[in-house]
Amino acid sequence: MSGPDAPSAREQILDAAEALFARKGLDATTIKDIGAAAGQNPALLYYYFGSKEELYRAVLQRVLSDMAARGGAAVDSAPAPADAIRAVVAAQMEFVLGHPNAPRLLVRELIDHEAREAEALLLQSAATLFERLCGVIAAGQRDGSFRGDLEPRFAAISTIAQVVYFTIARPAIGLFLRAGARGVPEATAKQFARHAGDFAVGALSTAETT
Amino acid sequence: MSGPDAPSAREQILDAAEALFARKGLDATTIKDIGAAAGQNPALLYYYFGSKEELYRAVLQRVLSDMAARGGAAVDSAPAPADAIRAVVAAQMEFVLGHPNAPRLLVRELIDHEAREAEALLLQSAATLFERLCGVIAAGQRDGSFRGDLEPRFAAISTIAQVVYFTIARPAIGLFLRAGARGVPEATAKQFARHAGDFAVGALSTAETT
DNA sequence: GTCTATAGGTGGATAGAC
DNA sequence: GTCTATCCACCTATAGAC
């Protein structure tokens, strides 16, 4: 009946809530904020989602499954471990630039609720992604291209930390890099992503790179 | 008159506010929460700090100057660039384990206010620390112990990202490492800090590390 | 499915006694 | 300096008309 191209009231609420939860947090975002941003009646939120918290969980679920889908492709994209590492880091930055809400939302969830709301979602999406990244590192260690004295799980954490930190700390990094008053330009973010791939591969490799 | 050893009402409010702002955030923490946690009358907050926001800024200021003081010592602690890098990473983890409130508080500030409240404080403390870390990396590049093809500022970001990310993502990392239901033990955090020093030095060095 | 109106509760901040 | 009492604004959620 109503085509899937015309965004339903439900989807408009979901989109508006995602943006507001990311920018202001669950607590500081009011039902009326969401209604106004969605161009819908605030009371509709209760009709579709039951409560503000259930809406929040719906938002988290959508972001996490999106992230897992994109991340999975990157791990498989290259046969050589070093190239796969670079691909994962590049995909991370691409995802984050395309979904600026995602990192804010997830970091808030980690700090505000210690991942309680997202625990089940993390285990069925991000955790398998993490395991596969660890697998790539272990494979590199077996074929001799990576140093054997690093713990693969720790190395995976160090690898993905770079882009996440860059994104979260972007206002501070803007100050550090003395890049004007308003944040870090996207071009710099892309340069950093290339650097982060090199940095991780350099840390993992037995010989110097390039 | 009243000795500096007996914590004043003002200090008790400051301590309680720091813990609550770190755990629940500025918005979700109420004046009455702070008063109860401090064992003081909530109205005293206005007598000493004028408003909740001014109290928040006072908390941020104390944490940031503490962090800058500890970080400064680490940069100077070793003559060789590689050792200085390791010292900085180790100091980061020590600071964070001793002040669990600090990273939460700062990350919240970055996400909630894009560092607006902390901008002046960051520029007079963290920024100079960051510059000095960049200086250590550049020195290593000049003396030939570090690769010359990495941008020092980016390398500094990658280096400090590790411990920060590990700390913030600790609930998720607990799930990834399958370390029980309740978080990552402190021993694992210290192991990770040693790893992170190796990882950064490995990424920066021209030859493979032992 | 969408809207209005409102109940019921809580929060920041102040006035003023002591 | 510390406390009680309270004002006013705002928020979540629901009831019920359309």
Side-chain angles (χ1 to χ4, degrees):
Chain A
M1 315 313 175
S2 63
D5 43 345
S8 64
R10 195 191 132 92
E11 277 169 343
Q12 284 182 294
I13 290 172
L14 208 52
D15 290 341
E18 179 182 302
L20 286 167
F21 288 155
R23 182 143 42 89
K24 314 204 305 172
L26 173 61
D27 219 82
T29 300
T30 71
I31 303 295
K32 290 166 189 173
D33 284 343
I34 297 171
Q40 298 291 340
N41 191 299
L44 274 181
L45 186 154
Y46 292 94
Y47 179 78
Y48 285 114
F49 298 96
S51 74
K52 190 176 152 184
E53 301 239 317
E54 286 180 66
L55 170 59
Y56 176 68
R57 275 190 288 272
V59 165
L60 269 189
Q61 171 140 32
R62 195 175 61 162
V63 166
L64 269 170
S65 55
D66 198 0
M67 191 184 71
R70 300 225 188 177
V75 185
D76 299 321
S77 67
D83 295 335
I85 295 289
R86 284 189 227 266
V88 166
V89 172
Q92 249 188 308
M93 186 61 91
E94 272 167 43
F95 177 74
V96 149
L97 289 176
H99 294 246
N101 293 334
R104 285 186 153 80
L105 226 31
L106 297 179
V107 168
R108 279 190 194 286
E109 168 61 15
L110 286 168
I111 300 189
D112 287 343
H113 316 118
E114 292 185 333
R116 267 190 298 279
E117 309 291 339
E119 185 165 329
L121 300 169
L122 278 171
L123 279 175
Q124 69 180 297
S125 59
T128 63
L129 207 62
F130 180 80
E131 283 301 329
R132 293 175 65 198
L133 180 56
C134 292
V136 167
I137 293 170
Q141 291 179 325
R142 277 195 304 275
D143 76 17
S145 58
F146 287 168
R147 315 162 43 177
D149 64 329
L150 292 178
E151 163 63 42
R153 287 163 188 273
F154 284 173
I157 293 169
S158 292
T159 299
I160 59 184
Q162 300 175 87
V163 168
V164 175
Y165 177 76
F166 184 89
T167 306
I168 296 304
R170 207 158 157 175
I173 288 174
L175 295 176
F176 294 167
L177 300 183
R178 313 226 182 284
R182 271 294 137 207
V184 182
E186 187 166 319
T188 304
K190 290 183 176 170
Q191 284 169 19
F192 180 80
R194 280 192 293 276
H195 151 86
D198 290 342
F199 193 89
V201 170
L204 285 161
S205 296
T206 46
E208 53 192 296
T209 31
T210 311
Chain B
M1 311 308 176
S2 63
D5 44 343
S8 64
R10 195 190 130 94
E11 276 168 345
Q12 283 182 293
I13 290 172
L14 208 52
D15 290 341
E18 179 182 304
L20 287 167
F21 288 154
R23 182 143 41 88
K24 316 204 300 173
L26 173 61
D27 217 81
T29 300
T30 71
I31 301 293
K32 289 161 191 173
D33 284 343
I34 297 170
Q40 298 292 340
N41 190 297
L44 273 181
L45 186 154
Y46 293 94
Y47 178 78
Y48 284 115
F49 298 96
S51 74
K52 191 177 153 183
E53 301 239 317
E54 286 180 66
L55 170 58
Y56 175 69
R57 276 191 287 272
V59 165
L60 269 190
Q61 171 140 34
R62 195 173 62 164
V63 167
L64 269 170
S65 56
D66 198 359
M67 191 184 72
R70 299 225 189 180
V75 184
D76 299 322
S77 67
D83 294 336
I85 295 290
R86 284 189 227 267
V88 166
V89 172
Q92 250 188 307
M93 185 61 92
E94 272 167 43
F95 177 73
V96 149
L97 289 176
H99 294 246
N101 293 334
R104 285 185 152 81
L105 227 31
L106 297 179
V107 169
R108 278 189 194 285
E109 169 59 16
L110 286 169
I111 301 189
D112 287 343
H113 315 117
E114 291 185 332
R116 267 189 298 279
E117 308 291 338
E119 186 166 329
L121 300 170
L122 278 171
L123 279 176
Q124 67 181 296
S125 59
T128 63
L129 207 61
F130 180 80
E131 284 300 327
R132 292 174 67 195
L133 180 56
C134 292
V136 167
I137 293 170
Q141 291 179 325
R142 277 194 304 274
D143 77 16
S145 57
F146 287 170
R147 317 162 42 179
D149 64 329
L150 292 179
E151 163 64 41
R153 287 163 189 272
F154 284 172
I157 293 170
S158 292
T159 299
I160 60 184
Q162 301 175 87
V163 168
V164 175
Y165 177 76
F166 183 89
T167 306
I168 296 305
R170 208 159 156 173
I173 288 174
L175 295 175
F176 295 166
L177 300 183
R178 313 226 182 284
R182 273 294 138 208
V184 181
E186 187 165 318
T188 304
K190 289 182 177 172
Q191 284 169 20
F192 180 80
R194 280 191 293 276
H195 151 87
D198 290 342
F199 193 89
V201 170
L204 285 161
S205 294
T206 46
E208 55 192 293
T209 31
T210 304

